[in-house]
Amino acid sequence: MVIVEEVGRVRLVLKERVRAKVLLAGFHGVGQVGWIATRYIADKLEARKIGFVLTADMPAFVTVKGGIVAPYELYSVGDFLLFVTNVPMSQRDLSRVPLTIADFALRAGLEEAVLFGGLDRRFVAEGDDAVRIAPTRSYLEKHPESVQGLKVIEESLGIVGPLAVMLAAYEAYDSPACAILPLASPERPDPLAASRAIEVANKLLGLSVDVQELREEAALLEKRVEEIQKKLSEIMREREPPAYHV
């Protein structure tokens, strides 16, 4: 069975009807936290691929892993529908696709959304490692106990990109949604930040996704970055002109 839904220039191609209750989504932003987190959860929960999101402007890039891995995919497991963006969205898709996904999820009867993103650590005080959340008013009213102890993002720290579009849509529809925003490195993928986001998601959703692999990956990545920086420093020193003393 193939179900096709077309909204404007966005087409959803589904292999089955969606019966989930919660949408999980993330995007390539600061530290690529959103993509890392949703992809990792899909893998750990052994979610099955149930559909694709196709647009005329999606990046012309795929990979192969047991079939074609498309730019934008939908996965399902238990009560969860996961929207996974395997590559950064094209400029024209940045607003259109998130709006379509939010609209589709609400029409399909999903009750709420938990979203993942990264917060540039350069914009917070040194030593402040708190994960922020950005909940809609409806989410705060529905889950007052779940968000207790979590820090709501400061008004001065804005949210941009597709994550902002989805939050605006859920607020407009008076529907529960919450973005999880760990501090992340803006220069490179940050699996450690993604692991912190998943830990908060575990609390909000009653999951128990083990993040040990992400933490190990973060340690390896940090080591690679240090090695690269060391090599770059050596190259720069070699290029410096010799110092002459008179």
Side-chain angles (χ1 to χ4, degrees):
M1 176 178 67
V2 176
I3 305 165
V4 179
E5 293 209 16
E6 194 151 358
V7 182
R9 293 169 63 86
V10 181
R11 181 179 300 170
L12 279 70
V13 181
L14 302 166
K15 298 177 182 177
E16 59 184 67
R17 296 200 179 279
V18 173
R19 295 179 174 84
K21 295 180 181 179
V22 181
L23 171 68
L24 303 181
F27 307 92
H28 287 75
V30 177
Q32 298 187 23
V33 169
W35 170 70
I36 294 172
T38 49
R39 177 81 261 175
Y40 187 82
I41 292 172
D43 288 344
K44 279 295 178 184
L45 296 183
E46 298 181 350
R48 64 190 183 281
K49 189 189 300 187
I50 65 162
F52 303 85
V53 179
L54 306 176
T55 80
D57 301 301
M58 66 185 185
F61 179 82
V62 299
T63 56
V64 180
K65 183 181 178 182
I68 297 299
V69 179
Y72 314 145
E73 298 181 327
L74 291 163
Y75 288 78
S76 180
V77 57
D79 290 335
F80 302 102
L81 174 70
L82 295 93
F83 176 50
V84 180
T85 54
N86 290 305
V87 294
M89 286 188 170
S90 69
Q91 197 64 34
R92 291 186 177 182
D93 284 342
L94 283 176
S95 294
R96 166 176 18 187
V97 169
L99 279 175
T100 300
I101 294 297
D103 183 63
F104 168 75
L106 291 168
R107 286 190 292 105
L110 276 72
E111 298 170 5
E112 59 188 65
V114 171
L115 313 172
F116 300 96
L119 180 61
D120 192 332
R121 60 170 57 258
R122 296 175 300 181
F123 296 121
V124 300
E126 190 174 346
D128 181 353
D129 287 327
V131 174
R132 269 64 167 182
I133 59 169
T136 62
R137 185 180 299 277
S138 180
Y139 193 91
L140 287 172
E141 292 171 354
K142 183 178 180 181
H143 300 290
E145 293 180 2
S146 296
V147 298
Q148 248 182 352
L150 296 175
K151 188 172 184 177
V152 175
I153 188 171
E154 297 88 332
E155 187 178 355
S156 59
L157 298 176
I159 301 169
V160 299
L163 198 63
V165 173
M166 289 200 80
L167 286 170
Y170 272 85
E171 186 69 35
Y173 287 123
D174 195 26
S175 295
C178 182
I180 303 173
L181 305 163
L183 302 185
S185 168
E187 293 92 8
R188 60 180 186 271
D190 196 335
L192 182 58
S195 75
R196 292 180 179 139
I198 293 171
E199 286 176 332
V200 174
N202 281 340
K203 175 186 176 184
L204 295 180
L205 299 168
L207 292 172
S208 55
V209 177
D210 187 356
V211 297
Q212 184 58 36
E213 284 181 30
L214 275 183
R215 293 190 178 280
E216 291 170 0
E217 185 179 334
L220 289 172
L221 181 62
E222 195 65 37
K223 187 176 179 181
R224 287 193 210 108
V225 169
E226 287 176 5
E227 290 172 354
I228 292 169
Q229 289 175 337
K230 184 179 177 181
K231 287 178 182 176
L232 286 173
S233 297
E234 290 172 356
I235 291 169
M236 293 304 294
R237 280 199 301 271
E238 289 173 2
R239 289 182 178 178
E240 288 176 2
Y244 293 95
H245 298 282
V246 203

